[in-house]
Amino acid sequence: MDKFRWAYIGSGNIAKGTAASILKGNHEIITVFGRNEEKVKKFAKRVSARACLDFDEAVSAEAVDAVYIATPHTSHLEYAQKAMVHGKPVLCEKPVGVSLSEVLKLEESAKASNVYFVEAMWTWFSDVALKVKQWVKDGEIGEIKEVVIDYAFPGVMMNKNSRVLTPETAGGALLDIGIYPITYCYNLFGYPSKIKCEGEIKGGIDVEETVLLSYDGFYCRLNMSLKTLKESCKIIGTKGEISLGFFHMASKATLNNENGKTVFRGKTDYLTEFTRSAEEIKAGKKQSDYVPLSATKDCMKIMDECRRQMNLVYPFEVNDNE
């Protein structure tokens, strides 16, 4: 079987991590684009690809089957739109934009170019999350009573110039890690009837927040922080409980109910995400069954509302409104 061929946009840590995973499978990286010549050439050599300092050159190469975007999310809109103009399918790192308006523009571009576009939300390409969803749907834990998800890592300890801590690159807890618990609840229960968000803004970014998503008879409590290290997910029902440790990249999920304990094991990895995206592209799909555009739009809408309640506005948005 021929290898699926990618153009990589970006050569940072995420690009390196995904490349190390997918090159173990039936994938090949043809070109790498970036603005830092030294970094691009070094990364391209490592993955046996052609280094490109011109975006159009990297994307338009005839051998490229699809484009993977792994740059800071403030540049996703520009690069994804340009790639789709070339008629190339796009797998774009999360979040695909910084606001709902950007996601809508990406949707319009995908339709206009008639190409596949998907958010690289690896959690929902994984069989583990899909099994949790099936358990909930099948009523394995009865009626839902409460959901509690914690996701925190000590981002405040990173270099102060990191994109995670920089307002100009839409840094902060919400868009970088908050998207995971928000997406998890959305995929299980749909769009909430009410959204409540309280957070701490420091240095122009949100360093932590608690989000309450209300549903019929229960709520999801989501705690996100850049101050500490913690990750867990508990879905509590009238007949049992589902629990996960590292839920966003889970290798297992545990179900405890009246029938006893069941442990489901699987992989949440980049290779699965890229392979399933490639399969959908080869099948002629224009969006993903795993991460449909409707989910990407709704989750961004939730995050927009959280930002509104926290009064979190990025510098480039202030300039845009002047």
Side-chain angles (χ1 to χ4, degrees), residues 143-157:
E143 297 296 321
I144 304 301
K145 293 171 57 181
E146 183 183 12
V147 178
V148 180
I149 303 180
D150 293 298
Y151 190 13
F153 83 100
V156 292
M157 302 298 292

Side-chain angles (χ1 to χ4, degrees), residues 5 19 52 59 82 97 134 147 174 215 241 265 277 300 307-308 322:
R5 303 163 298 180
C52 300
V59 171
K82 289 171 68 175
Q134 190 64 49
V147 178
L174 183 66
Y215 294 92
E241 178 180 305
R265 300 183 185 275
S277 294
M300 183 57 73
R307 286 179 54 202
R308 187 193 69 78
E322 287 181 350

Side-chain angles (χ1 to χ4, degrees), residues 6 8 15-20 22-23 27-32 40-51:
W6 297 90
Y8 258 52
K16 293 172 184 174
T18 57
I22 72 169
L23 292 179
H27 299 268
E28 183 179 1
I29 301 173
I30 301 296
T31 58
V32 176
V40 169
K41 287 184 175 179
K42 185 177 180 180
F43 177 61
K45 183 178 181 180
R46 179 189 299 181
V47 299
S48 301
R50 185 171 87 244

